[in-house]
Amino acid sequence: MTGSDVTSSAKAKYLQIADDLTAQIRSGMLAAGDPVPSETTLMERYGVASGTVRKAVAELRATQLIETHHGRGSFVRSRPPVQRKSSDRFRRIHRTAGKAAYLAEAEQSGGKPSVAVLFIGPAEAPEEIAERLGVSVGSQVLARKRRYFREGVATEEATSYLPWDIAKDIPELFAENPGGGGIYARLEENGHTLAEFSETVRARLATKAEASALSLSPGSPVVHLVRNAGTTSGRIVEVCDTIMAADQFVLEYRFPAED
């Protein structure tokens, strides 16, 4: 058997395992929330090496049929990913109603959202953040770092950076709960009327620290999203640097078809 034959055979085997598990999930034999058979169990059942089993499990993660939690194993998905509609999530009507973007989205998708504040205070602006805010690298800014959960599972971690000359005069920005509508509502109440949001989105593999923070398997994909919040005067008043578990979100954008 040639090397290419061996490769084709291994690929066929992990795809067979993935197909079998997919059929069990779709038939209800493996129900939502059920654990996927362990690596050892699947190795014995199919007579394959651990690498083949891992590829099969990765195939199911890619199709969002299962989710893997570091140290706990893989489970059949019990909820759909959050539908993150960037054209809708930052509308002023939501802030006026006292709803922060993430909590509103998670509730709409059927999950129970929560947030943990990890840090609030002065920090030195990293290079990319400083460039976006229009300040010098290392300048003092206000940093607000949060971790977001749905049904108790960490899904994203976000750090907001705000210019110090603006933040220092808005005491609510230093509170764990800045009040209804979040920090954008507080900025607008203090004369910084928001006019535009722009986002840069990258897909990459999680770092060790990110995988640990979001309970991801090593090598899991994440979405790295950095957002500028700009005012009617043209100033960037917040940059939000967010890491999202890629299998927990669907990003949806809408653009006008204009010249």
Side-chain angles (χ1 to χ4, degrees), residues 15 36 76 81 115 117 146 163 165 168-169 183 191 200 207:
L15 288 177
V36 175
V76 178
V115 58
V117 176
R146 297 90 64 202
D165 65 299
K168 66 181 178 60
D169 295 325
I183 64 173
T200 302
T207 65

Side-chain angles (χ1 to χ4, degrees), residues 34-236:
D34 282 352
V36 175
S38 69
E39 185 176 302
T40 300
T41 299
L42 292 174
M43 287 169 61
E44 293 175 351
R45 181 181 300 172
Y46 292 96
V48 296
S50 60
T52 302
V53 169
R54 288 171 189 163
K55 287 181 180 179
V57 171
E59 191 78 13
L60 294 182
R61 275 201 305 270
T63 55
Q64 299 192 357
L65 288 174
I66 67 171
E67 52 194 4
T68 301
H69 303 298
H70 184 66
R72 295 173 51 204
S74 297
F75 300 83
V76 178
R77 287 185 69 96
S78 57
R79 60 192 184 280
V82 172
Q83 193 84 9
R84 186 182 183 279
K85 299 182 179 182
S86 286
S87 57
D88 176 76
R89 71 193 313 256
F90 298 120
R91 292 173 62 197
R92 187 166 288 108
I93 190 172
H94 296 317
R95 296 194 292 279
T96 303
K99 293 183 178 180
Y102 177 84
L103 301 182
E105 286 172 344
E107 287 171 354
Q108 289 172 6
S109 69
K112 183 180 180 182
S114 59
V115 58
V117 176
L118 306 179
F119 173 80
I120 301 175
E124 294 184 357
E127 183 175 358
E128 181 182 357
I129 303 301
E131 182 178 346
R132 287 171 175 264
L133 287 175
V135 300
S136 301
V137 176
S139 296
Q140 181 169 280
V141 294
L142 173 63
R144 295 178 53 89
K145 186 173 184 178
R146 297 90 64 202
R147 187 174 298 151
Y148 295 92
F149 300 81
R150 192 158 58 115
E151 301 294 349
V153 177
T155 58
E156 67 176 283
E157 196 166 272
T159 304
S160 288
Y161 298 92
L162 300 99
W164 189 258
D165 65 299
I166 290 177
K168 66 181 178 60
D169 295 325
I170 308 176
E172 294 92 340
L173 297 181
F174 292 80
E176 286 196 10
N177 182 355
I183 64 173
Y184 292 152
R186 304 293 81 76
L187 285 167
E188 292 202 311
E189 288 170 357
N190 285 270
H192 306 286
T193 304
L194 298 170
E196 182 182 66
F197 297 93
S198 62
E199 296 182 338
T200 302
V201 182
R202 310 178 182 95
R204 59 172 174 78
L205 300 182
T207 65
K208 287 185 178 180
E210 291 163 353
S212 176
L214 298 179
S215 300
L216 301 174
S217 300
S220 293
V222 293
V223 174
H224 185 185
L225 186 151
V226 184
R227 179 179 64 255
N228 290 358
T231 66
T232 52
S233 67
R235 185 173 184 185
I236 303 302

